[in-house]
Each structure stands twice: as C-alpha cells, then as structure tokens.
Amino acid sequence: MVSERQLEAIKGAKVLMVGAGGIGCELLKTLALSGFQDIHIIDMDTIEVSNLNRQFLFRQSHVGQSKAKVARDAVLKFRPQMSITAHHANVKDPKFNVEFFKQFNVVLNGLDNLDARRHVNRLCLAADVPLVESGTTGFLGQVTVHVKGKTECYECQPKPAPKTYPVCTITSTPSKFVHCIVWAKDLLFAKLFGDRNQENDLNVRSSDAASSSDHAEDVFVRRKDEDIDPYGRRIYDHVFGYNIEVASSNEETWKNRNRPKPIYSADVMPENLTEQNGNVAKNCVVDTSSVSAMASLGLKNPQDTWTLLESSRIFLEALKLFFAKREKEIGNLSFDKDDQLAVEFVTAAANIRAASFGISLHSLFEAKGIAGNIVHAVATTNAIIAGLIVIEAIKVLLKDTDKYRMTYCLEHITKKMLLMPVEPYEPNKSCYVCSETPLSLEINTSRSKLRDFVEKIVKAKLGINFPLIMHGSNLLYEVGDDLDEVEVANYAANLEKVLSQLPSPVTNGTMLTVEDLQQELTCNINIKHREEFDEEKEPDGMLLSGWTQAPPAKDDKQSMNDKQSIGNGGDSSNALQTEPADAVKDGEMEEISEPSGKKRKLSEGSKASILDATDGTRNHKEVEKLDDDDDDDVVMFDDLDSMTNKKKRLQ
C-alpha cells in the first residue's frame, strides 16, 4: 500500500524519462499506474517492426512514427488526466541544457548507449537532480541510483572499452566466426559500399596487376560497362581465392595453425548458376528495407545455417541488388544491423571466409546478433527493471537516502535470490566527472596534432560534445555558433598543428583545461611526452590515465561474510558471477555491472541501516554499443566572468 507521504510525493513530482524503447515503454506504463501526473519523455528514435515483440505500447500501424509521441498517446488513452510531454529529439540537443534539467525532481534513464548515458549523468550533476539508471541484457538487469554528493555518479567507475581485435588477426589469421564478421562488416562491406577513399586493410591488388606498380588497378573498382555478374565473381575470386592464396603462402604463419583453403567461385558454382539468381529491374523505385537476397533466392528461415553454396549465391545476389536497386547509396553506406540486405551480404561473406579457414558457419540470425552486438531482448526483464526504477524513484522523491539500493536482476537463483539489492557506493574521489581529479595523458607532442587530441581523447574518451580547450589563459580550440570567421579559421588551423607547435606550445608537463559548456563540465589533463607506442596495444598513439577505480574504504573492516544480506535472506557475496558480454540487447543499450567489490560507505549517519555489502575487489563490467535503441573524463576557471561569457555563447 502507498502511504499518504508517498502519494503526495508521487503526485507532486515532475519526472524526466530519457528513452521510450523496451525499458521506456514499461517504465511509462508503471509510472502512470503508480500515480505520477507530470512526465516528460525524450527519444529521438522511430518505431521499427523489430520493436513490436516487446515494446507493447506500439502497434504495426505505428511503424515509422516517433516512439516518444506514440508512447504518450498510448498511455493517455487509459490515463487521460495525466500531463505527458513528448520530445522527439536527441537528448544531446542544446535545448536540453542544465536549466531544462533543473525543472525536474528526478531523471529516469532507459537509454541504449554509453555516450548518451554519460551526457545525462553530467547534466544531472550540473543541475543537482537525482538520476536513476537502468539496463538489461537478456535475463540480466540492473537499476542504480546516482545522487550528487551522496552516491557515486554513473561515471565514477571506468567503463570498459568495446571489444576490439588486432588487425592482423582479422585480415590474416581469423580463428573465430566473430573475426570473419568483423572482416566482412568493417573491411569488405566498407570497401565495396562505403567511402573508397578511406584507408582499408584489404589487399586491393589483383593477381594480374603489375607486381609492384604503385598504379596497379584497384580490383574493387567496377570497370566501365562491366556487367554485375562478372564483377561479382571477380570480387569473390579476389577476396576468397587470390587473397587467401597469398596469405597461405607464408610458411612461418601456418607452422602451428591450420592453413586456409582458397575458394574460387567456379569451384563452388558453375557460371550458369549465377544467371539463375533473381532477376532485378534496375533503378526502379523501391523500399530499401524490403530488398532481400534471401527473398530473391527463395530462402525463408533466417535461423537456417546456409551451406557454402547458399552463402555464395547470397553473396553474389546481394551484390547485384545493391548495384541494381541501391546504386545511388553506394559510396556512402555504412553497416546497419537493421539493413536486411547489408546483414545478408555480411553473413554470406563471413560464412565463405569461415569455410576457407575451417571455422563453423552460422545462420543469418546468429550472424546478425554478432554483427550488431545484439543480445536478444526479454520483455519480462524490462518489466521487472521498470518496476525497480519506480521503487527507487519514490525513495529519491522522499529523500530516503538510507534506503537507496542498486538492484541486480539475475538469470538464475543465487543465494536464494533472483533480485539482489546492494547499497550504493559513495562518490569516487578519483572520478574526473564528479570530483576535481586531473587526468594524465601520455602522447607524442612532437608528432600528434591537436585534431588527434580532440577526436581521440576529448570526444571519444571524455565524451565532450562542445569542447573548449585552454592552455593557461590561452584558448587553443573552441566550437560555437557565435564564433566569427577569423576565430573559426584560427581554430581550424590549430587543429592541423602538432601540439608542440601550437601558438601556446603543448609539451611535457603542460596542463590543459578542457571544458564542455553544455554539460558544465571542466577537466584538467596533465600532458606527458612519450616517444613510442605499441601499434597493436595502443593504436591511438596516446594513453589516458588517472581515472581509476576507487579504492576500498579503509575503515570498512566488516566483510560481507559478517553481514546479513538484504532481501530474501542469505549472503549476497559474489552473487553475480557472469562473464562480461560483448554485446548489447536488440532494443536498449544493455549494461550490466557486476556487484563484486569492497563496500564504500555512504556516511556515518547511514552506517547503522546498511546491511548489505560485497566483498573482494569491485569490478564493474558493462555491455557496450555497444551504442542503438531499438542500437558506450575537473578544475574550475579562476576567471568567473570569462566562464560566464563562454556559457552565454552556448545558450
């Protein structure tokens, strides 16, 4: 039963919901049925057919429409007295600034990617608004509470980088099907249908080209008036035949490995079999989402594993369809897991390469999951997590700090529990977001350009969207609509200069200040010059450090084994023993943190009420997009006036 105090807090609350996908649909429904009256929803996505199996507020007729708006309309049908404001927009849009966030009592996240989560976390910190985070992946889920100054923020623990593979493994010595998928998606698909001017590690020299000529023909370029069938076979023979022959000729490489077998199109299917593939009309108006090589060839079940012959036919048919029906897109395409033809092409190419290297072939369904980093959604998990979000949101509204819990939804009963509550951790003093701890960057200041620093560190690692970079009182780089032409030209010129040659040189020992005006985040970075980097282990040519996992509290002497667990009874020590997944769910970004670490107390005042902790070394593990819904870095200005003026620019 809801108490009068709880009911009053619920009815008077103004709630911001970010994300209206799998978790978001369940959350909006639960908020409405719990009595919440004023809700804003932000989601930039539109409804897709694949969403309908779990995002129950949507119907077939809604495909292509705004998720936020359709979710609002669906809930208003059974709760017409509510005030629900839908924003079909990106939460990173400038209009959703700190002032916008300040109007809410609590923010509830149902997001799908690390970048957006970090952005919302920083805005909540700047606005001093509590944040309830969530994530699911298959049967696993979690809900965490983040309150400024009381609990750790979302970024207090470093998030693991997306899984990467050495280029040499992908191009020369694949041993797993995922290696073949990465090759087909990031190299072959990108080379054929993406920007051909981008660097690519595929061998483009054909067997009949001049052996060492710098002007040898790029085999991937379609010759003038060349029919698609011979072009397709030429590509097939080059990447699965000639390139494999070249790779297998290195005796040293295959001394302790199984040597791959070249596959040529004529070995798999005769010339006339290509002609039996589907006939397609060129340049007709067509819905690209309906273009399918499987349909053309009469293959229906995506869970069937194709044979080498079927994979070869799909490969050539998909190539033909791209040139016949989507030729205008060629040169600008990037792989999309929701692009049926792209998934078919990548699956077929990966299977042919797998056959060459003696790796098991996979179905389209399996390959799509690997290529799109997908763990297929479970609607029930979303519903459970949505309920837990609302429970924590009510605690936040009542300011029941001692009752906040991080709750983990487990796949199997562990210690007599399927839901494992853990008390929140205190803020990490080494967190660059909610603390004032400077970071350290090892970089070759004589070789790396400012552009490298901006793209690889400021944006990619720190998640800063509107960077302002200063060396002391000297402004090295800034973005903004209010900059004049001279400033824009100066900053553009700085981007192309190596760090040591900037107007205010950046060398060993330099302290750079990086600020994001929208997020109201400031970060100091200490530069350390380093000459050489390992290209395989440190491909960026720089190493960011200083953002470390918080050490256990020194006065926390009582281990989990000495304490009583919250919930169903029993000990929750090491309860969640899951392997880190390299995937995200087919709908929301799914991130699972593993609660297996030393407890850090919130405060002396809350000590008596805390019953649950975990033992050992705390290690957050996260599933990353590792970015796609429905798909994963402080010192203040001394000059207050200059800071205020810069903030006004953004507004």
Side-chain angles (χ1 to χ4, degrees):
M1 293 292 291
V2 179
S3 68
E4 283 294 325
R5 178 168 169 256
Q6 290 172 329
L7 192 59
E8 183 180 346
I10 288 171
K11 288 186 175 181
K14 189 170 186 177
V15 177
L16 174 60
M17 242 184 69
V18 188
I23 293 175
C25 280
E26 292 285 351
L27 178 57
L28 183 58
K29 175 262 296 180
T30 305
L31 288 169
L33 296 179
S34 299
F36 286 85
Q37 299 294 313
D38 191 355
I39 301 172
H40 283 238
I41 313 167
I42 302 175
D43 197 304
M44 66 181 291
D45 284 341
T46 54
I47 299 162
E48 299 174 4
V49 173
S50 62
N51 303 148
L52 302 181
N53 72 331
R54 65 193 181 282
Q55 297 173 24
F56 70 98
L57 294 179
F58 309 144
R59 299 291 182 267
Q60 181 73 40
S61 60
H62 297 139
V63 172
Q65 297 181 40
S66 162
K67 286 187 174 183
K69 294 178 179 178
V70 172
R72 173 199 61 195
D73 295 344
V75 170
L76 287 178
K77 288 180 180 179
F78 63 87
R79 281 291 187 272
Q81 73 280 10
M82 289 182 64
S83 171
I84 304 178
T85 305
H87 305 271
H88 180 56
N90 190 331
V91 71
K92 294 170 69 175
D93 288 350
K95 64 181 179 180
F96 302 122
N97 53 22
V98 174
E99 289 303 314
F100 175 84
F101 272 68
K102 282 182 178 179
Q103 66 183 297
F104 300 102
N105 300 106
V106 65
V107 176
L108 312 178
N109 260 0
L111 280 164
D112 68 335
N113 66 86
L114 179 63
D115 190 40
R117 288 168 181 266
R118 294 198 301 187
H119 183 74
V120 172
N121 175 63
R122 295 171 187 187
L123 288 175
C124 285
L125 287 170
D128 199 8
V129 177
L131 169 66
V132 181
E133 259 292 353
S134 65
T136 64
T137 181
F139 292 102
L140 304 176
Q142 69 179 36
V143 174
T144 57
V145 182
H146 307 282
V147 180
K148 185 176 181 179
K150 293 184 172 63
T151 71
E152 66 179 8
C153 79
Y154 174 71
E155 297 175 81
C156 272
Q157 300 301 324
K159 309 303 178 191
K163 179 67 175 178
T164 58
Y165 301 94
V167 171
C168 58
T169 299
I170 299 303
T171 58
S172 304
T173 57
S175 58
K176 301 177 181 178
F177 188 70
V178 65
H179 298 157
C180 300
I181 286 286
V182 173
W183 175 88
K185 176 168 68 96
D186 294 344
L187 296 182
L188 184 59
F189 184 90
K191 186 65 179 177
L192 285 169
F193 308 117
D195 184 357
R196 287 200 176 96
N197 293 323
Q198 287 188 341
E199 291 185 12
N200 193 300
D201 288 288
L202 280 178
N203 174 21
V204 302
R205 304 293 175 82
S206 60
S207 56
D208 57 355
S211 59
S212 61
S213 172
D214 291 336
H215 304 288
E217 178 188 28
D218 183 342
V219 73
F220 292 94
V221 175
R222 188 179 176 187
R223 297 162 186 159
K224 186 177 180 180
D225 299 326
E226 183 177 20
D227 289 339
I228 189 61
D229 288 337
Y231 172 67
R233 282 184 175 265
R234 183 158 60 84
I235 296 298
Y236 187 110
D237 291 343
H238 178 75
V239 296
F240 304 120
Y242 172 70
N243 278 0
I244 300 299
E245 276 193 25
V246 172
S248 63
S249 64
N250 188 326
E251 295 295 333
E252 190 66 28
T253 301
W254 307 106
K255 184 179 295 183
N256 299 311
R257 295 185 177 97
N258 293 325
R259 192 185 300 270
K261 299 177 181 178
I263 300 175
Y264 288 91
S265 58
D267 298 335
V268 179
M269 51 187 179
E271 290 286 342
N272 63 347
L273 193 58
T274 309
E275 299 171 6
Q276 297 174 19
N277 281 6
N279 295 318
V280 292
K282 189 173 182 179
N283 294 328
C284 58
V285 178
V286 66
D287 176 8
T288 56
S289 64
S290 66
V291 177
S292 167
M294 285 182 66
S296 295
L297 299 177
L299 299 175
K300 297 180 179 179
N301 190 350
Q303 298 196 40
D304 287 342
T305 300
W306 301 334
T307 63
L308 176 58
L309 173 59
E310 289 170 330
S311 295
S312 300
R313 294 187 67 194
I314 288 286
F315 177 87
L316 295 174
E317 182 67 13
L319 189 68
K320 179 190 294 186
L321 287 170
F322 268 117
F323 278 92
K325 295 198 172 186
R326 299 176 61 178
E327 190 169 16
K328 291 181 180 179
E329 299 176 64
I330 293 176
N332 298 302
L333 282 169
S334 57
F335 178 80
D336 182 347
K337 70 176 179 59
D338 295 315
D339 184 334
Q340 176 68 15
L341 192 59
V343 173
E344 290 172 345
F345 178 86
V346 166
T347 301
N351 271 338
I352 301 168
R353 185 167 174 83
S356 178
F357 282 86
I359 300 168
S360 298
L361 278 58
H362 285 59
S363 68
L364 179 84
F365 181 80
E366 295 168 323
K368 180 178 180 180
I370 297 170
N373 298 316
I374 297 169
V375 175
H376 294 283
V378 177
T380 307
T381 309
N382 290 339
I384 293 170
I385 291 302
L388 292 170
I389 293 171
V390 175
I391 290 172
E392 293 305 320
I394 293 172
K395 295 177 189 176
V396 166
L397 294 173
L398 295 174
K399 294 182 170 56
D400 286 340
T401 308
D402 294 349
K403 296 182 181 179
Y404 295 165
R405 291 293 177 268
M406 302 187 298
T407 305
Y408 298 86
C409 180
L410 312 181
E411 183 173 358
H412 304 290
I413 294 177
T414 305
K415 306 294 184 180
K416 301 181 181 180
M417 293 187 293
L418 276 176
L419 295 179
M420 189 183 74
V422 179
E423 62 178 297
Y425 296 87
E426 68 179 8
N428 183 353
K429 293 180 181 179
S430 64
C431 175
Y432 73 97
V433 177
C434 64
S435 300
E436 296 185 359
T437 303
L439 298 173
S440 177
L441 177 66
E442 295 179 38
I443 188 170
N444 189 320
T445 58
S446 302
R447 194 162 56 217
S448 297
K449 296 180 179 180
L450 181 62
R451 179 182 297 280
D452 299 324
F453 174 69
V454 170
E455 297 296 331
K456 296 178 180 179
I457 298 299
V458 175
K459 293 183 178 180
K461 291 284 195 296
L462 305 186
I464 289 178
N465 303 314
F466 297 93
L468 180 150
I469 304 172
M470 298 188 71
H471 177 194
S473 60
N474 298 309
L475 191 56
L476 301 178
Y477 181 72
E478 184 182 11
V479 295
D481 295 334
D482 62 335
L483 299 177
D484 59 39
E485 293 182 2
V486 175
E487 289 176 316
V488 171
N490 286 339
Y491 295 143
N494 281 350
L495 284 176
E496 303 309 321
K497 295 177 181 177
V498 297
L499 296 176
S500 61
Q501 295 177 1
L502 286 166
S504 179
V506 175
T507 56
N508 187 57
T510 296
M511 182 70 79
L512 292 179
T513 299
V514 182
E515 183 181 9
D516 188 308
L517 300 178
Q518 184 185 14
Q519 299 173 351
E520 296 194 6
L521 172 70
T522 304
C523 175
N524 273 5
I525 302 177
N526 183 31
I527 302 297
K528 295 182 179 180
H529 176 79
R530 178 173 155 190
E531 281 293 328
E532 300 296 333
F533 292 86
D534 187 312
E535 291 185 4
E536 288 292 336
K537 296 180 180 179
E538 301 160 325
D540 290 337
M542 52 192 77
L543 181 64
L544 186 69
S545 58
W547 176 28
T548 59
Q549 186 168 302
K554 293 181 180 179
D555 58 346
D556 186 14
K557 299 178 181 178
Q558 189 176 15
S559 73
M560 178 58 207
N561 294 330
D562 300 325
K563 297 185 179 182
Q564 180 182 358
S565 173
I566 298 173
N568 299 343
D571 187 328
S572 68
S573 175
N574 298 322
L576 186 58
Q577 298 294 338
T578 58
E579 290 295 320
D582 292 324
V584 295
K585 185 165 71 62
D586 170 18
E588 301 68 51
M589 178 246 185
E590 312 312 304
E591 140 197 340
I592 297 299
S593 297
E594 181 173 324
S596 57
K598 182 75 75 175
K599 183 70 195 79
R600 302 195 306 277
K601 293 193 286 290
L602 280 174
S603 66
E604 289 298 316
S606 63
K607 187 190 301 183
S609 67
I610 292 177
L611 300 175
D612 181 71
T614 52
D615 194 20
T617 302
R618 182 166 184 244
N619 182 19
H620 278 237
K621 294 181 181 177
E622 171 178 343
V623 186
E624 163 81 61
K625 196 181 87 329
L626 259 177
D627 193 178
D628 88 79
D629 178 22
D630 321 324
D631 74 55
D632 4 167
D633 350 331
V634 198
V635 169
M636 301 305 295
F637 277 106
D638 293 328
D639 185 352
L640 182 61
D641 291 335
S642 67
M643 183 182 72
T644 304
N645 291 334
K646 286 164 187 165
K647 289 176 181 175
K648 286 180 180 177
R649 291 185 185 178
L650 190 67
Q651 297 168 357

